[in-house]
Amino acid sequence: MVTARDRAGEYIWETTVKLALAGHPLSPPFNQIAGEAIYGGPSHYHYQNPRLITFPRQRQRGLSNGLRRQKRDWVIPPINVPENSRGPFPQVLVMIRSDQDKKIEIRYSITGAGADQPPNDVFNIDPVTGKMSVTKPLDREDRASYHLKAHAVDINGNQMEPPIDLYIYVIDMNDNRPEFKNQVYNGSVAEGSKPGTSVMQVTAFDADDSTTANGLVHYRILSQTPHIPIPNMFTINGATGEISTIAAGIDREKVSQYTVIVQATDMEGNLNFGLSNTATALISISDINDNPPELDSKTFLGEVPENAVGVVVANLTVRDKDQPHTPNWNAVYRITGGDPLGHFTIRTDEITNDGRVIVVKPVDYERNGAFMLMVVVSNQAHLASGIPSSPSSSAGVTITVLDVNEAPVFPSNPKIIRFEEGVPADTTLATFAALDPDRFIQQTIRYSKLSDPANWLKINRTNGRITTTAVLDRESPYMKKNVYEATFLAVDNGSPPATGTGTLQIYLIDVNDNVPVLVPQEALVCERSRHGYPVNITASDLDSEPNAGPYVFELPSYPSSARRNWTISRLNGNYAQLKLRIPYLEAGMYRVPILVSDSGNPPLSNTSVLKVKVCPCDENGDCTVIGAVTVAGLGTGAIITILICIIILLSMVLFFVVWVKRREKERQTKPLLIDPEDDVRDNILKYDEEGGGEEDQDYDLSQLQQPESLDHIMSKPAGVRRVDERPVILESQYPVRPTVPHPGDIGEFITDGLRAADNDPTAPPYDSLLVFDYEGSGSTAGSVSSLDSSSSGEQDYDYLNDWGPRFKKLADLYGGGGED
C-alpha cells in the first residue's frame, strides 16, 4: 500500500487506480477512490486539497566568488482526469497562483482547445482565485488529452507572468464492451481433418485503451452444438480468435455443421472485472470421398427382346453416403466382362445415381440366349487417402434374351444381275429367295411384288423365281443410270407374320437398237449463200456409247435437188455443217433429207428431213421481216390483201363504236312525244284493260311503247319510215317516265304513226292501228275506225287475209272487206 501523497493527493489517486487495474485488492479509502474513478462516482477525496501550480520565476542569489546562479525552471506535471466522472460539476482540478498576487491584483485565464476553442467550455478557471475546474464528464474515446495555456494579467490586462502549459490527460475507464465485426461467422473444415487444423478466425474490437487491460480482449468458446463425437471438437486462440480443431473424428455423414458460441472479454479475460460479448461461428463440414459406392445386391436380373435397341434391360441400385450430386457421390459404371461384342452399356441416372443397363446392339436369340455381365461401380472422384475401404463395388447381371418372330432376310440385298437389253418376255432372270432367321421354328415363306415401276417382272409365290413379263428396254424412262430397280416382299407364317423386303437391281447392257435422229429439225438460211451462215447440225441417239456417236452425215442421192442445192461438211464426230452449194436459192420452205448413221456394230442409219427456211437477208446476214413472211408461204399479193382486210376491219369497228355512242347520246336527249301523265302505255301495262271481246289476247304490248327518239325514223326516205318499228337497242319493258312533262299528247302520237303507215306501202302491215288493239264487241273502249287514213294512193291489202286472225280486221279495213 502506498501512503505517501503530495500536497494535492494526485499521486495517491494515480497509484490507487493502477493497483486497482492490476487486480490487487485495496483497502479504504483507496478502493473507494479507485472504484469511484473507474465507475464514475464522486471523488472528493481526490481533490480536497487541489494541487497548487505557480508561475515559474527567475531568482538571483549572490555567491562568495561573485558568481550568480539561475534557479532551475519549475516542471509542471500533467493533470490526470478520469473519464465518466459523476461530478458534482464543476469539479476543481488545480489552483494556479502567481507570486505577485501579494503586491497587485491578478486575473487568471486559460486558452486552448477545451477552453475558448472547440470543444468550448470543457474547462474554466476562476479569474480571482485561479481554481481551474472541469465542467462535465470526459470521454476518453472521444478525446484522450487537452493542451491548455494559463495566463496571469493585472486588472489592466497587462501580462504579469509568462504563460504556462497545462497538459490534461483523460484516464481510461473500462466503459466499452468488445464488439464483434459480425454476429455470425461462417467457416468450413474438411471431414477427417487432423487436430490443429485451422478452421476460421473471429475478431472483436474494444474501444477502450488497448495499451491497458481495459482494451485487451480475450476469446473463449462457450458452447458447441452438437456434442458429437465429443463436446470439445474445437478450440480458440484467446489472443487472436483463431478457431481450430482439437480432436479427430469429424465426419460429415454424422454431423454436417457445428454451431459454436464464442465469447470475447476485455480486462484480459477477467470475468470478474471484464466486459463480455458473444458471436456465433457456423462451421460447415465439407465432404471428402471417404465412402465408396456400394451396390445393393451382388446379382441383378434383366431381359431383352432380340433385335431391340435402346431399351433398358436392367436397373442397378447403389448407395453412397457422400454428399449427393458431387463427384464424391456420382457413380461411374463399367462392364468388365460377359459382353465382348459390346451389346450393352450402362448409363448413370443423374437423379437417383442408379445404373441403367441399355442394349446398344441388337442381340440374336439364335446365337446367344443369355448374357452374364460383370459390372463394377466407382465414384467420379478418387477415394480419399487413408480410407481402408475398397474404392469400387462389383456385381453380376444376368440378361435373358427373349425370342421373337424375325422377318425373313434376303442374303443379297440389293441383289444385282446383268443382262443385255431386249430380254424377251417369260425369261427367268434369277431366284430371289429369303432365309428365315428363326432356325428353331419351321415356317413357310411366301413372296410378292412390292414395287415394279414398268411392270416388267413377276415372282413365283413359293420359290421366289423372277420372270419377265415384257421386253426389257434400256431406253425406258424407268431406267436410272442403266439400272432397273424392283422391290419384293417375303412374308413368313409366324404369329404375328413378319415381312422382309428385298431389292433387285437389273443392270441392262446397251445394244444398238435405236437409230440416230437429226437435231435440229428446222433451220433458217439466207437465199444468197454469201450473206448467210451455215447451219450446224448434230444427231441424238437413245443408245449410249459406243452405239451412238460419232455420227456420219450424208446427203442422199434422191432427190437430186438435195445434192444439187446443198452440201454437208463434217466438223467433228458429232457435228456437221449444212450450207448452200449454189449462190442463190429462191426464198421458201425446203425439206432437205439427211442420212445419219451411228457407230454401232452394225451401225444403224436413219434419213431425217431438215426443214430449211430460205429467206432474204440484210447485210448482216439476218433474215428480214418480209422475208420471214415470204418463207411462211405467202406471196406479195396475199400480204397486201391481208393488210387491206385488217385496215377495213379496224375501220368498221371504229364506225360501229361512233354510231353506238351517237345513238346513246340521242336516246338521252330526246324526251317522249306525249305528256307522262297521259301516257296510255302505263295505263295498259298497269290495268291491262284490253277488253273481253277479242278472242286472241296474246298481244305484243311493246308495240305501244313510244321510242325515246324518232330521229332514226324521220330521217328515212318517204315510204319507208314507220313509227311502230321496234327500237334498235335493248329497252326495258316498262319505260321510265321523264321527269319533265312532254308537250305532246297521244293524239299527235297517233297522227305521226298514221302518217308513217301511209307513206310505207312496202312494209308488212304492222299498222299503227294495231297498237291500240281492237277490244272487240262489248268493250268499253270506243272504236278507232273513225280514224281516217290520209293515204293518197290505192294499195292492195288482200294479202292480209292470209296472215291469220290477228290481221283480219286490217284486211277488212284496208282491203275493202266487210266489217264484223
Side-chain angles (χ1 to χ4, degrees):
M1 179 181 297
V2 179
T3 57
R5 68 171 69 190
D6 64 356
R7 296 185 292 176
E10 180 75 14
Y11 297 109
I12 295 176
W13 177 89
E14 186 172 303
T15 304
T16 303
V17 170
K18 288 184 178 180
L19 291 175
L21 293 179
H24 297 285
L26 303 177
S27 57
F30 301 110
N31 55 355
Q32 181 179 1
I33 295 174
E36 291 175 351
I38 294 174
Y39 298 106
S43 56
H44 57 278
Y45 300 101
H46 205 105
Y47 301 111
Q48 295 182 56
N49 299 311
R51 180 159 58 99
L52 180 63
I53 299 176
T54 59
F55 289 90
R57 297 202 39 97
Q58 296 181 353
R59 298 180 180 180
Q60 305 289 336
R61 291 183 180 180
L63 300 177
S64 59
N65 56 1
L67 296 178
R68 293 183 179 180
R69 180 175 65 85
Q70 184 175 2
K71 184 179 180 182
R72 180 170 54 89
D73 287 344
W74 182 264
V75 179
I76 300 175
I79 303 171
N80 296 315
V81 180
E83 64 174 336
N84 302 324
S85 175
R86 297 182 182 178
F89 296 102
Q91 194 173 58
V92 178
L93 300 180
V94 294
M95 186 173 63
I96 301 174
R97 295 293 303 275
S98 173
D99 294 342
Q100 300 188 38
D101 60 353
K102 298 178 181 180
K103 300 178 181 179
I104 60 176
E105 189 175 356
I106 300 296
R107 295 291 183 268
Y108 302 97
S109 64
I110 55 176
T111 60
D116 59 346
Q117 298 177 15
N120 300 80
D121 300 328
V122 177
F123 303 96
N124 61 19
I125 190 170
D126 190 324
V128 177
T129 63
K131 292 183 179 180
M132 188 180 74
S133 306
V134 59
T135 63
K136 57 184 177 182
L138 301 183
D139 187 359
R140 191 201 67 84
E141 286 72 40
D142 183 30
R143 189 179 185 109
S145 64
Y146 297 88
H147 179 201
L148 304 177
K149 286 185 178 291
H151 306 274
V153 297
D154 59 13
I155 59 175
N156 296 322
N158 297 319
Q159 179 176 327
M160 302 306 297
E161 298 284 355
I164 59 175
D165 293 316
L166 300 177
Y167 293 95
I168 303 172
Y169 294 105
V170 182
I171 303 303
D172 182 44
M173 298 290 118
N174 190 19
D175 57 344
N176 290 279
R177 294 178 179 275
E179 297 291 340
F180 285 95
K181 291 183 178 180
N182 303 306
Q183 283 301 311
V184 178
Y185 290 83
N186 292 287
S188 64
V189 63
E191 61 176 332
S193 297
K194 297 179 179 180
T197 302
S198 177
V199 178
M200 59 191 302
Q201 185 175 11
V202 296
T203 304
F205 172 76
D206 196 320
D208 293 326
D209 189 0
S210 59
T211 61
T212 66
N214 297 336
L216 295 179
V217 179
H218 182 80
Y219 303 92
R220 70 189 186 97
I221 294 177
L222 294 182
S223 65
Q224 166 197 310
T225 306
H227 299 170
I228 300 175
I230 58 175
N232 300 319
M233 293 294 297
F234 304 94
T235 185
I236 188 170
N237 188 307
T240 63
E242 181 180 10
I243 300 175
S244 57
T245 61
I246 194 175
I250 298 178
D251 190 354
R252 190 204 66 85
E253 285 71 43
K254 295 180 179 179
V255 179
S256 60
Q257 186 181 62
Y258 288 93
T259 301
V260 176
I261 305 300
V262 179
Q263 183 185 56
T265 306
D266 58 15
M267 297 298 291
E268 296 182 349
N270 191 317
L271 299 179
N272 295 325
F273 301 102
L275 303 178
S276 301
N277 216 334
T278 60
T280 301
L282 300 179
I283 303 175
S284 299
I285 309 303
S286 59
D287 183 49
I288 64 172
N289 191 14
D290 57 344
N291 294 280
E294 297 180 4
L295 291 166
D296 290 341
S297 176
K298 290 299 181 180
T299 58
F300 293 90
L301 300 178
E303 59 182 18
V304 56
E306 63 174 333
N307 301 321
V309 176
V311 298
V312 178
V313 299
N315 189 41
L316 311 180
T317 56
V318 69
R319 291 175 289 105
D320 196 321
K321 297 179 181 179
D322 292 320
Q323 186 174 357
H325 308 292
T326 63
N328 299 330
W329 179 81
N330 295 336
V332 178
Y333 298 89
R334 292 177 294 114
I335 298 176
T336 59
D339 186 22
L341 299 180
H343 290 283
F344 303 94
T345 187
I346 304 179
R347 296 174 185 172
T348 304
D349 189 308
E350 296 180 356
I351 298 177
T352 64
N353 213 28
D354 293 342
R356 304 189 182 278
V357 182
I358 300 175
V359 57
V360 293
K361 287 184 180 181
V363 295
D364 189 358
Y365 172 80
E366 285 72 27
R367 292 186 179 180
N368 198 342
F371 291 85
M372 295 294 296
L373 306 181
M374 292 301 299
V375 176
V376 174
V377 59
S378 59
N379 285 130
Q380 187 176 353
H382 295 291
L383 193 65
S385 59
I387 304 301
S389 302
S390 173
S392 61
S393 177
S394 60
V397 182
T398 302
I399 300 176
T400 303
V401 181
L402 303 178
D403 186 25
V404 297
N405 185 26
E406 300 178 78
V409 178
F410 290 90
S412 299
N413 195 10
K415 183 175 183 178
I416 301 175
I417 58 177
R418 299 171 66 92
F419 284 92
E420 284 189 352
E421 66 172 325
V423 176
D426 296 327
T427 301
T428 299
L429 299 181
T431 299
F432 199 27
L435 301 177
D436 193 346
D438 297 314
R439 294 175 296 169
F440 304 110
I441 304 175
Q442 295 297 327
Q443 298 184 131
T444 302
I445 298 178
R446 292 293 182 262
Y447 301 92
S448 62
K449 186 168 61 174
L450 176 63
S451 172
D452 184 11
N455 199 21
W456 284 347
L457 307 173
K458 64 180 179 179
I459 187 170
N460 188 286
R461 181 173 177 78
T462 58
N463 58 20
R465 184 180 295 110
I466 296 176
T467 308
T468 60
T469 59
V471 178
L472 305 186
D473 185 8
R474 191 197 67 86
E475 288 73 38
S476 170
Y478 299 103
M479 299 292 296
K480 305 297 181 183
K481 296 182 180 180
N482 300 334
V483 175
Y484 180 77
E485 189 171 278
T487 307
F488 300 91
L489 298 178
V491 183
D492 61 19
N493 60 345
S495 179
T499 303
T501 303
T503 301
L504 178 66
Q505 293 179 344
I506 305 174
Y507 185 90
L508 295 180
I509 303 172
D510 183 42
V511 297
N512 193 17
D513 57 347
N514 291 278
V515 296
V517 179
L518 189 67
V519 178
Q521 296 181 354
E522 293 183 358
L524 186 67
V525 298
C526 296
E527 60 184 3
R528 299 187 183 276
S529 59
R530 70 176 184 274
H531 288 167
Y533 300 97
V535 178
N536 292 332
I537 58 176
T538 184
S540 174
D541 196 329
L542 296 177
D543 295 323
S544 61
E545 300 295 340
N547 295 323
Y551 303 103
V552 177
F553 301 90
E554 295 177 310
L555 291 172
S557 58
Y558 181 83
S560 60
S561 59
R563 294 190 176 183
R564 182 176 64 249
N565 297 336
W566 307 93
T567 180
I568 288 182
S569 59
R570 180 186 178 91
L571 292 179
N572 52 38
N574 293 324
Y575 288 90
Q577 282 187 343
L578 174 70
K579 57 185 177 179
L580 283 173
R581 178 186 293 274
I582 59 179
Y584 172 79
L585 183 62
E586 184 179 357
M589 179 69 72
Y590 294 88
R591 298 172 65 88
V592 180
I594 298 176
L595 180 63
V596 184
S597 302
D598 59 20
S599 297
N601 186 18
L604 296 180
S605 300
N606 179 37
T607 300
S608 298
V609 176
L610 177 64
K611 295 180 181 180
V612 181
K613 299 177 182 179
V614 180
C615 66
C617 296
D618 54 18
E619 294 79 3
N620 298 326
D622 298 327
C623 186
T624 61
V625 177
I626 300 294
V629 176
T630 303
V631 171
L634 298 178
T636 303
I639 295 174
I640 295 175
T641 302
I642 292 174
L643 293 177
I644 292 175
C645 292
I646 294 174
I647 294 173
I648 293 174
L649 180 61
L650 293 177
S651 300
M652 293 177 64
V653 172
L654 180 61
F655 176 77
F656 179 76
V657 171
V658 172
W659 180 76
V660 169
K661 289 186 174 291
R662 182 179 178 184
R663 287 294 308 276
E664 182 68 21
K665 183 177 181 182
E666 291 176 353
R667 222 178 58 137
Q668 295 177 358
T669 56
K670 279 288 184 179
L672 290 172
L673 295 176
I674 62 176
D675 190 79
E677 298 295 334
D678 299 330
D679 192 352
V680 298
R681 292 174 299 172
D682 286 350
N683 297 333
I684 295 173
L685 292 174
K686 292 182 179 179
Y687 301 101
D688 198 16
E689 294 181 355
E690 289 81 16
E694 187 73 24
E695 294 180 359
D696 188 0
Q697 297 294 326
D698 189 7
Y699 298 117
D700 186 1
L701 298 181
S702 65
Q703 300 297 329
L704 293 178
Q705 295 178 354
Q706 177 182 349
E708 295 182 3
S709 176
L710 297 177
D711 292 347
H712 67 288
I713 300 175
M714 301 303 295
S715 61
K716 287 186 177 182
V720 296
R721 186 174 70 249
R722 295 292 299 275
V723 296
D724 56 346
E725 287 181 330
R726 283 182 175 272
V728 295
I729 59 176
L730 296 176
E731 295 181 359
S732 61
Q733 184 176 357
Y734 303 96
V736 181
R737 291 175 178 267
T739 58
V740 180
H742 197 276
D745 56 14
I746 191 62
E748 294 178 356
F749 175 76
I750 296 174
T751 302
D752 292 340
L754 180 60
R755 184 172 61 253
D758 292 341
N759 295 331
D760 190 8
T762 61
Y766 293 119
D767 195 272
S768 299
L769 298 177
L770 181 63
V771 175
F772 302 97
D773 288 340
Y774 178 72
E775 307 301 331
S777 60
S779 174
T780 59
S783 175
V784 297
S785 61
S786 61
L787 294 176
D788 187 17
S789 175
S790 60
S791 175
S792 60
E794 294 184 358
Q795 299 181 15
D796 186 9
Y797 295 102
D798 292 339
Y799 60 87
L800 294 176
N801 293 318
D802 300 331
W803 284 29
R806 290 190 179 188
F807 302 95
K808 185 176 184 302
K809 177 60 68 178
L810 292 178
D812 294 341
L813 292 175
Y814 287 90
E819 295 181 3
D820 293 340

